[in-house]
Amino acid sequence: MRVLILGGDGYLGWPTAMQFSNRGHDVHVVDNYLRRKAHEEAGTGSLTPVLPGLPERVAAWKDVTGKEIGVTEGDLCEWSVTELVFGEFRPEAVIHYGEMPSAPYSMKSREHAVFTQTNNVVNTLNVIFAIEQFVPDCHLVKLGTMGEYGTPNIDIEEGYIEIEHNGRSDLLPMPKLPGSFYHLSKVHDSHNIHFACRVRGMRATDLNQGVVYGIETEETTLDPRLVTRFDYDDVFGTALNRFCVQAVAGHPLTVYGSGGQTRGYLNIVDTLQCVELAVMNPAERGEMRVYNQFTEQFSVTELAELVQKAGAEYGIGVEVRSIPNPRVEMEDHYYNAQHSKLLDLGLRPHLLSETLVESMFGVIEKNKEHIDREHILPRDSWRPSA
Amino acid sequence: MRVLILGGDGYLGWPTAMQFSNRGHDVHVVDNYLRRKAHEEAGTGSLTPVLPGLPERVAAWKDVTGKEIGVTEGDLCEWSVTELVFGEFRPEAVIHYGEMPSAPYSMKSREHAVFTQTNNVVNTLNVIFAIEQFVPDCHLVKLGTMGEYGTPNIDIEEGYIEIEHNGRSDLLPMPKLPGSFYHLSKVHDSHNIHFACRVRGMRATDLNQGVVYGIETEETTLDPRLVTRFDYDDVFGTALNRFCVQAVAGHPLTVYGSGGQTRGYLNIVDTLQCVELAVMNPAERGEMRVYNQFTEQFSVTELAELVQKAGAEYGIGVEVRSIPNPRVEMEDHYYNAQHSKLLDLGLRPHLLSETLVESMFGVIEKNKEHIDREHILPRDSWRPSA
């Protein structure tokens, strides 16, 4: 199958590209290095030493496996780029990771909010129109986020909820309470994609993903040059990954507020499994499937305690410290999100264990000299300054 | 009160500005003449001869009433403009009509879709940040559209719906099924504004307006120079207004498809009443109120029949003709939208009557020589070309 991967230089995009290539698919990756540039501006970077760009990465991949991956370095917000990629590669499936992915980034300033929403909405609109124009039968697999739902006081369904009201009923999109300008951008994308399916006959699967943890996949471990990026700073790093780095660095784990914030989580190898299941089970024309893509729910405190225990096993003392929450979010709330559809398709979850955390400690320890302790604490409050 | 009106050159913006000025408020208007430029490009224009720009309009207003209205000609997508307007005028209420308002325009091409969404989302984000920075207590009154809801198979509530699910319940945003890239842009705005209220403490009222008809308000009739614009073309004209022009022009009424499409409608004088009620009853900090702003529901066929009857009274024969629907929409559907909140605040509706339609015929007849019959039939299909 011809599989186009947007954001193919990212934490998940690069391992996904290698997996699909390894399975024998014809893979093409696109990236404009948005995250690398944002890191450069902020003076932060990946813990793991990733190769400088996609040409070097696919060359290493070819060297190790003999397989080829095509590359476009460019910005999908520019129609000339999108048009060229879709017109020439003519994908049968598109896996769309190609967005500004950070909530804290989007909350830094007006400029960051506007950039995040413009970038994400415009490149996704371009992808929708490129599919219509060049490959109308192509299946769009779009990475969304569980954060689109926020924390409602009812169970979170997978995309749609049957609402009974005044004696009638309808299956409607699950209401969304996104918690940042970034999460809002993903809600905007979801509405645009739903429209493209409902009204214009596109086929799409929206993967509302939980927080991903882990460093290694089958392909990244084939050769040190194939490692994926691993962010641990306050802007691009996510909860469990950050805690593991903090533990190895001897930094207290930064629990925001009371730590009762509960979210869905999954292992990076399960992300790859889910995306593959979505691609191999395409939606019908006119249909937007929505899956909640995570395997377990944890509160921040539960994660911190797990890392502390794994630290004790591993032989490092880990301190847990609550710091004032820079975010505006509920710290004590109901949370129960459905996540059975990917299991029904065959997902075999790799659940979180102390053993997994300890193996992450091992990889982090090898790269310990790259940890910059200056970028562990959050720098920006999400409250308006006025 | 200091009232800032965004989109103050428009069909509703200009009469709103005059009304608030007439009531003794300190009014400032902003417009970048987006609609005038889009008309110029398309070779279309207002049936009524509006003055060439806001400086001329406020000069005429001063001449007639002695009252002053401030003017900024500029684009709110440019932060330098937004910053200047909010920093200098320091509004207590903002009435936000300042968006690309046409569904057919947004469906013309990829460029039109991207422009509509970028323009509407970015200028509204700028307004949110300007309120936070300069006037955090200011009340944002945002014009949304009933089209955000689409045509679900359940009653449409005013903004929020109580959902009972698996033994729990929550009051959540009403799910949205917008029918064009324009309507999607308004859904994006609604989510962004809801976030700004929920998370950042803004106060806002979102007015999900039905289709507005009518030409005259108390202030537009004071002097011929104070007339508001009146669009009847396929891109900026709306159902009833278009039918009235078609009747006077001796053109068959263009019913799209079967004509069963049902929507909420209201008289332009009721728009002005509703906006005033919203401004005089501000939301609390942290609250986004949502009102469904219309007074009656009609199907397209019902409207066409009403215009036909009024034509008979008036002495013109009116033919009703179904043409292939250029839009993708249900033509036979359930539709029942709540609209009690503005009535509770004191709205006294001016319901649609043959008399009103005949008075519209009168105004249209006076401007009959401006009718361009070439721009009555729809030119663009909403279906993708591929």
Side-chain angles (χ1 to χ4, degrees):
Chain A
M1 197 189 287
R2 285 186 306 282
V3 182
L4 178 64
I5 296 170
L6 312 179
D9 188 50
Y11 171 52
L12 303 175
W14 175 238
T16 302
M18 290 192 292
Q19 174 183 279
F20 276 89
S21 176
N22 219 6
R23 298 272 202 273
H25 298 290
D26 184 4
V27 176
H28 193 93
V29 292
V30 184
D31 213 294
N32 65 341
Y33 304 126
L34 197 58
R35 186 181 318 211
R36 290 183 190 246
K37 287 170 197 157
H39 270 301
E40 249 168 55
E41 276 172 29
T44 51
S46 171
L47 178 78
T48 47
V50 294
L51 292 180
L54 280 171
E56 294 81 0
R57 296 181 107 169
V58 301
W61 177 245
K62 190 175 179 191
D63 191 37
V64 173
T65 64
K67 293 172 198 293
E68 303 215 16
I69 294 177
V71 170
T72 298
E73 296 170 288
D75 184 349
L76 295 161
C77 287
E78 292 172 26
W79 176 245
S80 57
V81 172
T82 318
E83 186 177 41
L84 195 70
V85 167
F86 279 79
E88 295 199 340
F89 185 64
R90 305 192 83 81
E92 292 159 279
V94 177
I95 304 169
H96 187 1
Y97 294 107
E99 302 207 317
M100 167 47 69
S102 163
Y105 180 91
S106 75
M107 298 298 287
K108 276 176 177 288
S109 72
R110 184 194 64 82
E111 289 86 344
H112 289 81
V114 168
F115 173 77
T116 301
Q117 294 207 355
T118 308
N119 180 73
N120 293 0
V121 168
V122 172
N123 89 49
T124 300
L125 284 174
N126 280 351
V127 168
I128 289 170
F129 278 93
I131 289 174
E132 280 185 3
Q133 184 171 335
F134 296 106
V135 280
D137 207 44
C138 174
H139 178 214
L140 172 62
V141 176
K142 171 67 162 60
L143 272 290
T145 155
M146 288 300 295
E148 293 183 32
Y149 300 116
T151 54
N153 197 36
I154 57 173
D155 291 348
I156 295 170
E157 294 299 317
E158 298 195 61
Y160 305 94
I161 182 169
E162 184 78 31
I163 302 182
E164 298 200 12
H165 184 55
N166 298 347
R168 303 181 62 86
S169 72
D170 202 355
L171 184 69
L172 292 168
M174 180 82 198
K176 304 283 179 79
L177 298 168
S180 74
F181 288 112
Y182 155 73
H183 290 103
L184 283 155
S185 77
K186 305 291 267 194
V187 172
H188 305 341
D189 283 343
S190 295
H191 279 96
N192 284 340
I193 293 168
H194 190 213
F195 172 78
C197 294
R198 277 190 293 127
V199 172
R200 297 167 79 87
M202 195 172 71
R203 58 169 93 215
T205 299
D206 198 8
L207 299 172
N208 285 332
Q209 188 166 244
V211 184
V212 184
Y213 58 80
I215 309 184
E216 294 178 327
T217 71
E218 197 183 315
E219 287 78 17
T220 65
T221 50
L222 291 176
D223 186 282
R225 291 169 293 166
L226 301 180
V227 69
T228 194
R229 64 174 309 115
F230 189 81
D231 294 312
Y232 64 95
D233 62 289
D234 61 320
V235 172
F236 291 104
T238 46
L240 183 58
N241 287 354
R242 270 167 61 73
F243 284 173
C244 290
V245 171
Q246 291 166 5
V248 171
H251 191 288
L253 305 192
T254 54
V255 169
Y256 292 174
S258 76
Q261 306 91 314
T262 302
R263 301 288 186 271
Y265 288 82
L266 76 165
N267 191 311
I268 187 171
V269 300
D270 287 345
T271 293
L272 267 52
Q273 252 196 93
C274 291
V275 168
E276 188 176 17
L277 287 168
V279 168
M280 302 319 281
N281 296 276
E284 303 296 321
R285 292 291 298 271
E287 181 192 14
M288 179 174 88
R289 295 192 181 168
V290 184
Y291 302 143
N292 291 347
Q293 179 167 309
F294 70 96
T295 57
E296 296 170 280
Q297 291 186 183
F298 296 104
S299 72
V300 172
T301 298
E302 285 169 337
L303 286 182
E305 285 169 357
L306 184 81
V307 171
Q308 198 169 36
K309 270 191 216 163
E313 288 284 328
Y314 191 80
I316 50 179
V318 175
E319 188 193 339
V320 177
R321 188 181 293 171
S322 168
I323 62 172
N325 196 340
R327 303 184 174 205
V328 179
E329 60 186 0
M330 280 192 278
E331 295 174 8
D332 182 20
H333 59 89
Y334 180 74
Y335 198 78
N336 186 37
Q338 305 299 325
H339 55 111
S340 62
K341 290 188 183 178
L342 284 159
L343 294 168
D344 292 345
L345 287 180
L347 171 65
R348 286 159 296 119
H350 296 71
L351 299 182
L352 182 57
S353 65
E354 287 171 39
T355 317
L356 184 273
V357 171
E358 287 171 52
S359 84
M360 285 174 68
F361 287 162
V363 181
I364 293 165
E365 195 127 46
K366 274 187 230 149
N367 297 284
K368 198 176 170 176
E369 81 279 11
H370 299 128
I371 301 177
D372 180 347
R373 291 172 59 97
E374 295 301 306
H375 292 112
I376 287 179
L377 285 174
R379 287 160 290 175
D380 304 297
S381 166
W382 289 21
R383 284 169 188 79
S385 49
Chain B
M1 196 188 289
R2 286 188 304 282
V3 181
L4 179 64
I5 296 170
L6 312 178
D9 188 50
Y11 170 52
L12 303 174
W14 174 240
T16 302
M18 291 192 291
Q19 174 183 279
F20 275 89
S21 176
N22 220 7
R23 297 274 199 275
H25 297 290
D26 183 3
V27 175
H28 192 93
V29 292
V30 184
D31 213 295
N32 65 341
Y33 304 126
L34 197 57
R35 186 181 318 209
R36 290 184 191 247
K37 288 170 197 157
H39 271 300
E40 249 168 56
E41 274 173 32
T44 51
S46 171
L47 179 78
T48 48
V50 294
L51 293 180
L54 281 170
E56 294 81 1
R57 297 182 106 169
V58 302
W61 177 245
K62 190 176 179 192
D63 191 37
V64 173
T65 64
K67 294 173 197 292
E68 302 214 16
I69 294 177
V71 170
T72 298
E73 296 171 286
D75 185 349
L76 295 160
C77 288
E78 291 172 26
W79 176 244
S80 57
V81 172
T82 319
E83 187 177 41
L84 195 71
V85 168
F86 280 79
E88 294 198 340
F89 186 65
R90 306 191 83 81
E92 293 159 278
V94 178
I95 303 169
H96 187 3
Y97 294 107
E99 301 209 316
M100 166 47 67
S102 163
Y105 181 91
S106 76
M107 298 298 287
K108 277 176 175 288
S109 71
R110 184 195 65 81
E111 289 85 345
H112 289 81
V114 168
F115 172 78
T116 301
Q117 294 208 354
T118 308
N119 180 75
N120 294 359
V121 167
V122 172
N123 89 49
T124 300
L125 284 174
N126 280 351
V127 168
I128 289 170
F129 278 94
I131 289 175
E132 280 185 3
Q133 184 173 336
F134 295 107
V135 282
D137 208 42
C138 174
H139 178 214
L140 173 62
V141 176
K142 170 67 162 64
L143 272 291
T145 156
M146 288 299 295
E148 294 184 32
Y149 300 117
T151 53
N153 197 35
I154 58 172
D155 291 350
I156 294 170
E157 295 298 317
E158 299 196 62
Y160 306 94
I161 182 169
E162 183 78 31
I163 301 180
E164 299 199 12
H165 184 54
N166 297 347
R168 304 179 62 88
S169 73
D170 201 356
L171 185 69
L172 292 169
M174 181 80 197
K176 304 284 178 80
L177 297 168
S180 75
F181 287 113
Y182 155 73
H183 290 103
L184 283 155
S185 77
K186 306 292 268 194
V187 172
H188 305 340
D189 283 343
S190 295
H191 279 97
N192 283 341
I193 292 168
H194 191 213
F195 172 79
C197 295
R198 278 190 291 126
V199 172
R200 298 167 79 89
M202 194 172 74
R203 58 169 93 214
T205 299
D206 197 8
L207 298 173
N208 285 332
Q209 187 165 244
V211 185
V212 184
Y213 58 81
I215 308 184
E216 295 179 324
T217 71
E218 197 183 315
E219 288 78 16
T220 64
T221 50
L222 291 176
D223 187 281
R225 292 169 292 167
L226 301 180
V227 68
T228 193
R229 65 174 307 115
F230 189 81
D231 295 312
Y232 64 95
D233 61 290
D234 62 319
V235 171
F236 290 104
T238 47
L240 184 57
N241 287 354
R242 270 166 62 71
F243 284 172
C244 291
V245 171
Q246 291 167 6
V248 172
H251 191 288
L253 306 192
T254 54
V255 170
Y256 292 176
S258 76
Q261 306 91 313
T262 301
R263 302 287 186 271
Y265 288 81
L266 76 166
N267 190 311
I268 186 171
V269 301
D270 287 346
T271 293
L272 266 53
Q273 252 197 93
C274 291
V275 168
E276 187 176 16
L277 287 167
V279 169
M280 302 319 282
N281 296 275
E284 303 293 322
R285 293 290 299 269
E287 182 193 13
M288 179 174 87
R289 295 193 181 167
V290 184
Y291 303 143
N292 292 348
Q293 178 166 311
F294 69 96
T295 58
E296 295 170 279
Q297 291 185 183
F298 296 105
S299 71
V300 172
T301 298
E302 286 169 338
L303 287 182
E305 285 169 357
L306 184 80
V307 172
Q308 197 168 37
K309 270 191 218 165
E313 288 285 330
Y314 192 79
I316 50 179
V318 176
E319 187 193 339
V320 177
R321 188 181 293 171
S322 168
I323 61 171
N325 196 339
R327 305 184 172 205
V328 180
E329 60 187 359
M330 278 191 279
E331 295 174 8
D332 181 21
H333 58 89
Y334 179 75
Y335 198 78
N336 185 37
Q338 305 298 325
H339 55 111
S340 62
K341 290 188 182 178
L342 283 159
L343 294 167
D344 293 345
L345 288 180
L347 171 65
R348 285 161 296 120
H350 296 72
L351 299 184
L352 182 56
S353 64
E354 287 171 40
T355 317
L356 184 273
V357 171
E358 288 171 51
S359 84
M360 284 174 69
F361 287 162
V363 181
I364 292 165
E365 196 127 44
K366 274 188 231 151
N367 295 283
K368 198 176 170 180
E369 82 278 12
H370 298 129
I371 301 177
D372 181 347
R373 291 172 59 96
E374 295 301 305
H375 292 111
I376 288 180
L377 286 173
R379 288 160 289 176
D380 305 297
S381 166
W382 290 21
R383 285 168 187 79
S385 50

